[in-house]
Amino acid sequence: MSHRTFNHLFLPLMVLSAISAFFIPVQYTNFCRGRVDGLFSPVATPLRRLVETTSARFGFDSNQDKDLLLHSTNLTDASREIDRLKVTVASLTMQIDELRRLNAGRDLGGELRNFSRPFKVLSPDLAGRDSLNIHATSGDGVATGMPVVCQQGLVGKISAVGYLGAQVRLITDVGSCISGQFGKFILQTDGSSVFTPIATNEPLVEGRGHGLMAIVNLTLKEVNEAHLAAGDWVVLNDRDMWPATVNGQRLGQIVIIQKLPKSPLHAEIFLKPLVNFDTLREVMVVTGQQAPPQQPKPAVEQRKATPRPTAQPARTEKTKSNVKAAG
């Protein structure tokens, strides 16, 4: 192809390309795509050969570039997938930890768990009293006076129950009074620890509010003779006001022992539960001892359920024989 012929063909194609790119709408140029591409082959083919020759001379490999681009794309996709899996693993780890914590909170030990039902804590009392609102209703078998426990010990009693929820009066509430028993764990020669009750007069545990309890009915002499100290336990020992299944539940630990300001001969022993009740998310209501017994069915229903004796066929045969005799 001569130089003049090439120019005569090249210039109109360039003008057509400029018009197609800047003036003709895209919907019309797309219609021609794939149908008139052959008109540009006199320009596209030499240009492609020139690019391939230049790339080969200067060491540029198009296949290598494609592989590098594909490899980069794969790395980006892999990084995104790894990040997504990390988010999933973190979420599942937190869920597993939460389930383990809930299961540990329900591990009451002994047979008490079999008689208890877990309920979610809605909120602490907003009126300033030591109480909790829980998601339990009378339809769940919850009744007033039922004990409420957690893994760390006794929490309180159901003080009110309705159709929308129930209220738990905590053992730390002002005016609460419970009979207890001192005790401590003593290390044995074989390496085991045994809970040993400490002999004293029956301590009366009074709620002081704000998560505290106190004992003021013991003298300083009794306290010193019993060698009571901070860290000793106080457990429930009140079979008159509490079911036997919750007796022995931990009330708290001694935090401080001092003289009673109003009576210097008496001691004032402050106790604190091992958990802040306001932070509980779930509690266990001991419902087994309060389950209503099954009522026997009325005698009328039993007679209705009893099948009649099969004497009717004999009566029918007798009637048939009388009819034949009359005939």
Side-chain angles (χ1 to χ4, degrees):
M1 179 182 297
S2 65
H3 181 71
R4 181 176 298 178
T5 306
F6 177 79
N7 289 336
H8 290 170
L9 184 61
F10 180 75
L11 290 177
L13 291 176
M14 290 296 294
V15 173
L16 181 61
S17 300
I19 294 174
S20 300
F22 299 103
F23 298 101
I24 302 177
V26 179
Q27 57 268 24
Y28 298 110
T29 56
N30 285 339
F31 176 78
C32 299
R33 183 176 295 175
R35 294 180 173 87
V36 295
D37 291 347
L39 295 176
F40 298 94
S41 59
V43 179
T45 301
L47 184 60
R48 182 180 300 171
R49 290 178 181 176
L50 178 62
V51 172
E52 290 177 354
T53 303
T54 305
S55 299
R57 179 174 297 180
F58 291 98
F60 298 107
D61 189 359
S62 60
N63 294 328
Q64 185 178 0
D65 293 341
K66 291 180 180 179
D67 294 340
L68 181 60
L69 180 61
L70 182 61
H71 180 66
S72 301
T73 305
N74 292 337
L75 287 179
T76 303
D77 294 341
S79 178
R80 292 177 179 175
E81 182 66 17
I82 291 173
D83 184 69
R84 186 186 66 82
L85 291 175
K86 286 182 178 179
V87 173
T88 303
V89 170
S91 176
L92 292 176
T93 301
M94 295 302 296
Q95 293 178 22
I96 291 174
D97 291 342
E98 180 69 12
L99 290 175
R100 287 176 178 173
R101 188 192 64 79
L102 289 176
N103 186 64
R106 298 176 183 179
D107 189 10
L108 302 177
E111 295 295 326
L112 185 58
R113 182 175 181 177
N114 298 331
F115 302 125
S116 306
R117 289 189 58 186
F119 292 98
K120 183 180 179 181
V121 176
L122 299 178
S123 65
D125 188 75
L126 301 179
R129 301 294 299 271
D130 282 16
S131 62
L132 297 176
N133 298 318
I134 64 174
H135 192 269
T137 64
S138 55
D140 297 322
V142 177
T144 303
M146 287 184 174
V148 180
V149 296
C150 66
Q151 185 188 18
Q152 288 77 15
L154 188 66
V155 175
K157 266 186 179 181
I158 299 292
S159 58
V161 60
Y163 295 104
L164 299 178
Q167 189 177 55
V168 180
R169 186 187 185 190
L170 303 179
I171 58 176
T172 57
D173 188 36
V174 177
S176 173
C177 188
I178 307 172
S179 298
Q181 170 71 57
F182 291 106
K184 64 174 63 178
F185 281 90
I186 299 178
L187 186 63
Q188 304 297 311
T189 56
D190 58 354
S192 60
S193 295
V194 176
F195 182 76
T196 304
I198 301 175
T200 62
N201 289 329
E202 184 178 88
L204 298 179
V205 183
E206 302 175 356
R208 291 293 181 90
H210 304 288
L212 289 176
M213 296 170 285
I215 299 172
V216 296
N217 67 319
L218 299 180
T219 63
L220 282 173
K221 181 179 179 181
E222 291 177 298
V223 172
N224 294 329
E225 289 177 352
H227 303 287
L228 296 178
D232 290 344
W233 284 26
V234 180
V235 298
L236 179 65
N237 185 24
D238 193 345
R239 298 184 180 275
D240 295 332
M241 303 299 296
W242 295 81
T245 52
V246 296
N247 266 279
Q249 286 290 310
R250 179 172 51 191
L251 301 178
Q253 282 183 324
I254 298 177
V255 293
I256 188 173
I257 301 176
Q258 62 184 19
K259 292 182 180 179
L260 185 63
K262 297 181 179 180
S263 179
L265 296 180
H266 283 77
E268 189 174 27
I269 306 172
F270 285 96
L271 312 175
K272 196 172 184 179
L274 269 71
V275 61
N276 184 1
F277 293 144
D278 290 340
T279 62
L280 292 175
R281 297 183 180 180
E282 188 181 69
V283 293
M284 305 287 288
V285 179
V286 183
T287 60
Q289 297 297 323
Q290 301 292 336
Q294 293 183 355
Q295 299 293 335
K297 294 183 179 180
V300 176
E301 294 183 0
Q302 292 181 359
R303 285 199 300 269
K304 288 182 179 180
T306 305
R308 295 181 178 180
T310 57
Q312 185 66 24
R315 219 170 27 247
T316 305
E317 292 178 358
K318 185 177 181 180
T319 304
K320 289 182 178 180
S321 60
N322 294 335
V323 172
K324 289 181 179 180

